[in-house]
Amino acid sequence: RNRAGDRNIRMEKQIYYHDTDAGGVVYYGRYLNYLEEARTEYLEERGIDLKIFRQKKFLYAVRKCNISYESPARYGDTIVCDAKLVKTTIARLVFQQMIHDKKTGRLILTADVTLVSLNKDFKTTPIPEDIKSLLA
């Protein structure tokens, strides 16, 4: 993983056979895993360990995910997953994400993902100030 700019993370991922479907391309649902991994890397780069969420008795859940699939990734490809935080509200984080083929730069997908902060009862709750400051 490496940081590309102040508000962006780039994560490389090798595509394995178990990622693909019968047609030899990455199964569309697998991309959700890659997007989540890139968002996790984004948070960890800013000193936010997901264990902190449990200690503070709150969690994040995907509220909305809009994906545009542009071209397929295949077994053996290396992809680059980007995550960029574009908006923070009282209780939400909005990410713009892209996945490209590492070798060719070909766009594989774009995604807009909104996370919401929830308390232990799954009710919307404000993002703690110390975490917001790490995201600023």
Side-chain angles (χ1 to χ4, degrees):
R1 73 184 178 198
N2 58 19
R3 247 169 114 160
D6 198 33
R7 315 261 307 153
N8 193 32
I9 187 83
R10 301 192 69 155
M11 179 195 81
E12 289 187 11
K13 183 87 174 161
Q14 177 75 34
I15 301 300
Y16 294 100
Y17 184 73
H18 66 260
D19 293 311
T20 62
D21 62 16
V25 299
V26 172
Y27 175 68
Y28 79 97
R30 293 295 261 178
Y31 291 109
L32 292 171
N33 295 340
Y34 310 151
L35 295 171
E36 180 177 346
E37 290 169 14
R39 289 191 308 273
T40 300
E41 294 280 336
Y42 180 95
L43 295 172
E44 288 177 354
E45 281 283 332
R46 279 142 189 86
I48 301 170
D49 186 329
L50 297 181
K51 288 181 251 178
I52 293 171
F53 296 164
R54 277 199 305 260
Q55 292 166 359
K56 292 183 175 287
K57 306 258 192 275
F58 80 102
L59 56 103
Y60 280 104
V62 173
R63 172 84 166 118
K64 185 165 111 177
C65 182
N66 183 18
I67 299 176
S68 294
Y69 297 95
E70 304 297 334
S71 63
R74 294 177 169 79
Y75 170 74
D77 288 350
T78 299
I79 60 174
V80 178
C81 307
D82 293 340
K84 181 179 182 181
L85 183 65
V86 294
K87 184 177 180 185
T88 305
T89 69
I90 291 171
R92 294 184 185 195
L93 302 175
V94 180
F95 284 89
Q96 283 182 344
Q97 296 191 254
M98 291 191 291
I99 298 178
H100 290 88
D101 180 272
K102 182 181 179 187
K103 186 188 285 186
T104 66
R106 173 179 47 87
L107 180 63
I108 294 169
L109 70 74
T110 60
D112 295 312
V113 182
T114 301
L115 304 178
V116 65
S117 176
L118 302 172
N119 66 20
K120 63 182 174 53
D121 298 317
F122 295 94
K123 304 284 187 211
T124 301
T125 189
I127 300 167
E129 286 304 317
D130 57 337
I131 289 178
K132 262 188 157 170
S133 68
L134 292 170
L135 294 170

